Amino acid sequence: MSGLENCLRIIYGSSVALGLTICLSLEKLATPDMAVHYLFVDDNNDPASSRILHHFAEKHRGQVEIIRSQEAPSTYSCNETTHIWTDELVWRVASFKNQLIERAKTGGYDGLFLLDSDLLLQPATLETLLASKKDIVSEVFWTSWTPDTLPVPQVWLTDKYTQYEINHRLETISAEEQYLRKYAFYGKLRVPGLYEVGGLGACTLIRRKALEDGVNYSRIHNVTFWGEDRHFCIRAVALGFSLFVDTHSPAFHLYRESDFAEATVWMKQIYGSAPIRVKKSSAAAEASPTSRPKITLSMVIHNEADKHLAYVLTKHREYIDEAVIIDDGSTDDSAEICHELLKGIPLHFVRNPTPQFTNEVALRKQQWKETISHKPEWIVNMDADEVFEDGFATGVHALLSRQHGDVCCFRLYDMWSDSHYREDPYWRAHSSSATAPTIAICGKNNTNRFWTQSQISCHGENKGLVTLTICGKIVYNYLDRKVRVRRMPTTTL
């Protein structure tokens, strides 16, 4: 940045009920050429969290102001299922946010960066939001709002939380079309960019022009939508402002206690280390042996940019150590997505100028030959629409450290939606017997034997302890019945 941008005065604002998370984020944020101040509304019931805020203030003397909430102690609580919000709590937080807006205006700041206190931010987040030149812009994050559901973004397109396009007010859309449009929206947000939306919140930069023109979080008396962010967004659009979401530096949402294990992995990838103050669950500790097995992702892709590739790679990068990807003649942005989302992980990317899938035997041989040439210890062989269920990343290394086999196989479920899988004569891979698993992790002691067998048979016939399916895609000698694999809906645009 140059010129007047060098003198930007930015204030971070947050009502805090979880001091550790927000302080970790702010310590890591890059703020070159900015005059930065911090304003916290301390709404903690936990004295330890308040002490973390005051320690942060001591470390950044002259830059931090802490306002102790004058409200009665909060009744806010959360558990492994959800966060429990009452109407009173919603408007309590709204009043805190309005205080932060007033301080930003009276203090002459160029922008207010409003943060929820349970977010971990990438270092470049604020720079990226400022570079957008938008009056109101949020950084995206993805949350599983209830356990065992796919994560969804915190932004929406219309109304309360509608996440699919509506072409005109009277358009009639079937449930299937809603589903297809919703996943098209999700797919778009997985690609780094800047997109206009209808609603946003939780990680939002508000420029001075919007502040001065009257945006705020007060209730609109003739709107019944629940949540202060919706009232803020409706008011902002009525005042003539457009709302945008940036997806270059997605934040991590520490929504529940069990997310700490995944957050530790995220921090090591993004920050380089995870503070010992962030406690690990027993599962995470179990998944981090002294010498953990090296895992290589092996995958073939073809024109996956508008499908599930971004989501799938985001999930895989939580536990893999390297990746071997064969791009079978893609003509879209699949390659760019792979390189962007696997940054920091060794990626061996091979591109076929023309598709070879009409000879799948030869394509699979190419895949495995390329994979084995990099001397993997364990190979995770997945299609571009397949992911393991939640929890796999924190337990896979412990699983592979066991001494009961060279190959682990898992049942595959063909998903019809986020929560339902198919059960019909054509889609029932999950019902395969123990002699016909469908997804495998192949160990280093088995790769040569696998390669020999894969040249012998590509039609699923048994060879003693080895079963081959889908042109030699997998072998097995251990079937894990506890961990499952999801194949994402094939109808996604």
Side-chain angles (χ1 to χ4, degrees):
M1 293 182 291
S2 60
L4 294 177
E5 292 292 312
N6 286 331
C7 302
L8 280 177
R9 298 180 67 244
I10 303 297
I11 186 167
Y12 297 93
S14 180
S15 60
V16 180
L18 185 63
L20 172 60
T21 306
I22 193 168
C23 289
L24 285 174
S25 284
L26 297 180
E27 291 282 11
K28 300 295 184 180
L29 273 176
T31 57
D33 303 319
M34 303 178 206
V36 177
H37 293 86
Y38 309 89
L39 179 59
F40 302 117
V41 178
D42 184 355
D43 197 33
N44 284 292
N45 290 331
D46 180 7
S49 187
S50 293
R51 286 196 295 271
I52 291 171
L53 285 182
H54 285 279
H55 178 73
F56 181 85
E58 291 173 4
K59 188 175 180 179
H60 301 273
R61 289 183 180 276
Q63 293 179 268
V64 182
E65 181 181 358
I66 300 174
I67 304 172
R68 179 61 196 176
S69 170
Q70 300 303 309
E71 304 283 346
S74 170
T75 58
Y76 174 78
S77 64
C78 56
N79 53 45
E80 283 299 296
T81 300
T82 189
H83 291 202
I84 301 170
W85 287 91
T86 65
D87 196 59
E88 183 273 329
L89 280 174
V90 167
W91 298 112
R92 175 191 183 105
V93 170
S95 70
F96 293 154
K97 291 180 177 180
N98 283 342
Q99 289 183 49
L100 297 172
I101 287 175
E102 287 305 311
R103 290 296 187 96
K105 289 165 61 177
T106 58
Y109 289 94
D110 296 296
L112 168 64
F113 189 19
L114 279 177
L115 297 173
D116 279 8
S117 62
D118 54 0
L119 291 176
L120 290 168
L121 304 182
Q122 296 195 41
T125 299
L126 182 57
E127 290 180 289
T128 302
L129 296 180
L130 287 169
S132 73
K133 304 294 185 182
K134 301 301 181 183
D135 292 308
I136 302 175
V137 57
S138 286
E139 186 58 52
V140 75
F141 60 86
W142 300 73
T143 304
S144 296
W145 297 114
T146 55
D148 299 322
T149 59
L150 293 177
V152 296
Q154 94 280 16
V155 297
W156 62 99
L157 293 170
T158 57
D159 300 326
K160 184 176 180 181
Y161 197 53
T162 300
Q163 294 181 309
Y164 54 83
E165 293 278 1
I166 299 176
N167 295 323
H168 56 82
R169 187 173 60 86
L170 299 179
E171 183 182 21
T172 300
I173 308 173
S174 67
E176 181 180 4
E177 181 63 22
Q178 291 178 20
Y179 177 84
L180 293 174
R181 293 186 186 186
K182 179 175 69 173
Y183 274 86
F185 177 60
Y186 293 169
K188 181 173 70 173
L189 296 188
R190 288 292 185 182
V191 180
L194 183 69
Y195 306 99
E196 186 170 358
V197 293
L200 46 70
C203 184
T204 305
L205 175 67
I206 309 172
R207 292 273 197 159
R208 182 162 187 82
K209 183 178 188 309
L211 297 173
E212 291 179 338
D213 282 3
V215 297
N216 64 74
Y217 289 85
S218 298
R219 187 199 306 261
I220 301 174
H221 72 87
N222 60 341
V223 173
T224 61
F225 288 163
W226 183 88
E228 81 285 1
D229 285 331
R230 289 158 183 83
H231 292 251
F232 170 87
C233 293
I234 292 171
R235 180 178 283 108
V237 172
L239 289 170
F241 294 99
S242 297
L243 310 175
F244 292 87
V245 62
D246 177 84
T247 63
H248 289 90
S249 304
F252 185 97
H253 191 194
L254 254 173
Y255 189 62
R256 48 180 64 87
E257 185 74 17
S258 58
D259 290 337
F260 272 108
E262 186 178 353
T264 299
V265 175
W266 188 93
M267 284 187 282
K268 286 181 177 179
Q269 292 173 343
I270 302 300
Y271 300 156
S273 64
I276 59 174
R277 292 176 296 173
V278 177
K279 78 172 190 176
K280 291 186 178 182
S281 67
S282 57
E286 180 183 348
S288 302
T290 303
S291 180
R292 78 177 203 175
K294 174 186 173 183
I295 299 176
T296 298
L297 172 67
S298 180
M299 181 181 290
V300 175
I301 64 173
H302 174 72
N303 287 343
E304 311 288 347
D306 294 329
K307 301 176 185 176
H308 300 289
L309 182 62
Y311 172 71
V312 165
L313 292 181
T314 300
K315 299 299 288 185
H316 288 326
R317 73 164 291 139
E318 296 174 6
Y319 62 85
I320 65 171
D321 301 289
E322 69 175 347
V324 176
I325 296 179
I326 307 296
D327 183 351
D328 194 37
S330 294
T331 57
D332 61 3
D333 295 330
S334 295
E336 288 78 3
I337 292 173
C338 291
H339 285 93
E340 178 68 27
L341 294 183
L342 295 179
K343 279 183 179 177
I345 296 175
L347 171 61
H348 310 287
F349 193 86
V350 178
R351 186 178 186 278
N352 294 335
T354 57
Q356 304 297 311
F357 197 75
T358 52
N359 186 352
E360 189 179 358
V361 174
L363 182 60
R364 292 298 181 185
K365 285 182 179 181
Q366 178 193 17
Q367 176 192 6
W368 280 99
K369 187 174 182 179
E370 181 67 28
T371 301
I372 293 170
S373 72
H374 297 286
K375 304 185 185 308
E377 293 185 14
W378 289 90
I379 303 168
V380 179
N381 187 10
M382 304 286 275
D383 285 349
D385 59 352
E386 294 170 345
V387 290
F388 285 98
E389 64 184 340
D390 291 345
F392 177 79
T394 58
V396 59
H397 293 98
L399 171 66
L400 298 183
S401 296
R402 300 170 187 168
Q403 300 299 315
H404 49 41
D406 295 319
V407 181
C408 299
C409 297
F410 310 88
R411 294 198 183 278
L412 173 67
Y413 286 76
D414 292 292
M415 304 305 293
W416 182 254
S417 67
D418 294 350
S419 57
H420 293 75
Y421 59 85
R422 295 188 63 162
E423 176 75 61
D424 56 58
Y426 305 102
W427 299 85
R428 50 184 307 175
H430 59 277
S431 63
S432 299
S433 67
T435 60
T438 54
I439 296 295
I441 300 181
C442 183
K444 60 182 178 182
N445 295 329
N446 214 42
T447 54
N448 290 333
R449 180 162 69 96
F450 166 78
W451 184 245
T452 300
Q453 294 288 345
S454 68
Q455 296 178 70
I456 294 173
S457 171
C458 292
H459 303 290
E461 56 183 279
N462 292 332
K463 297 289 184 182
L465 291 179
V466 179
T467 297
L468 300 170
T469 66
I470 317 180
C471 296
K473 182 181 174 186
I474 59 165
V475 296
Y476 90 98
N477 59 11
Y478 171 70
L479 176 63
D480 191 306
R481 299 179 183 279
K482 297 179 181 179
V483 180
R484 297 166 294 182
V485 179
R486 293 181 177 210
R487 176 181 286 148
M488 310 298 286
T490 57
T491 52
T492 298
L493 293 175

